[in-house]
């Protein structure tokens, strides 16, 4: 599988089926993903390394290696790497179309 560059780091699809997708995501220190939500899928994240800050709805949480978090469909969310690089596994459940992303705020001016 090919590693894809993103403005916040890199990601690589590890496994992909009709029902779920697994990605390995690396977020560089000081970067963050867009504040977003998905209508057709939920996500589970497992922290491999680093201490990300996660926005989930109105909550802001700090995670540690081996922690996991579930993001249900339509939940507003974001993951940030304020203190150092973060590596995580993302499991998408449901219809895993990359177009199913509604960005509410984005540091990189993407739609």
């Amino acid at each position: 599988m090919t590693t894809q560059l993103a403005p916040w780091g890199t990601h690589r699809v590890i496994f992909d089926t009709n029902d779920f997708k697994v990605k390995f995501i690396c977020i560089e220190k000081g970067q963050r993903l867009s504040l977003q939500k998905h209508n057709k899928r939920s996500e589970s994240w497992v922290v491999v390394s680093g201490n990300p800050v996660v926005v989930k709805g109105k909550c802001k949480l700090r995670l540690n290696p081996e922690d996991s978090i579930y993001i249900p469909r339509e939940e507003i969310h974001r993951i940030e790497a304020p203190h150092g690089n973060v590596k995580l596994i993302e499991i998408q459940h449901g219809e895993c179309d990359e177009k199913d992303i509604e960005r509410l705020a984005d540091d990189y001016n993407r739609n």
Side-chain angles (χ1 to χ4, degrees):
M1 306 272 171
T2 304
T3 299
Q4 302 289 317
L5 295 176
W8 41 261
T10 61
H11 61 95
R12 179 177 61 229
V13 175
I14 299 169
F15 193 79
D16 193 0
T17 71
N18 292 333
D19 302 304
F20 69 96
K21 182 184 290 187
V22 180
K23 287 184 176 182
F24 181 69
I25 297 175
C26 298
I27 305 166
E28 295 176 4
K29 179 181 178 181
Q31 302 300 312
R32 61 186 184 172
L33 280 68
S34 59
L35 185 65
Q36 59 187 259
K37 68 178 185 171
H38 309 287
N39 295 310
K40 299 178 183 176
R41 73 173 187 249
S42 59
E43 296 178 347
S44 298
W45 300 335
V46 179
V47 179
V48 175
S49 66
N51 297 100
V53 172
V54 173
V55 173
K56 180 181 176 190
K58 295 182 180 186
C59 297
K60 198 167 193 175
L61 310 160
R62 183 173 173 154
L63 301 181
N64 297 304
E66 300 182 25
D67 286 347
S68 63
I69 191 165
Y70 175 70
I71 309 293
R73 286 180 178 95
E74 300 184 3
E75 179 80 76
I76 294 171
H77 62 281
R78 165 182 272 166
I79 189 162
E80 308 174 4
H83 307 293
N85 293 348
V86 169
K87 295 180 181 177
L88 61 101
I89 301 294
E90 175 184 270
I91 303 166
Q92 300 176 2
H93 310 268
E95 200 173 312
C96 302
D97 182 354
E98 290 301 319
K99 295 177 185 170
D100 179 31
I101 182 169
E102 182 180 338
R103 288 190 175 94
L104 306 171
D106 184 65
D107 296 347
Y108 315 104
N109 298 314
R110 296 172 295 169
N111 293 328

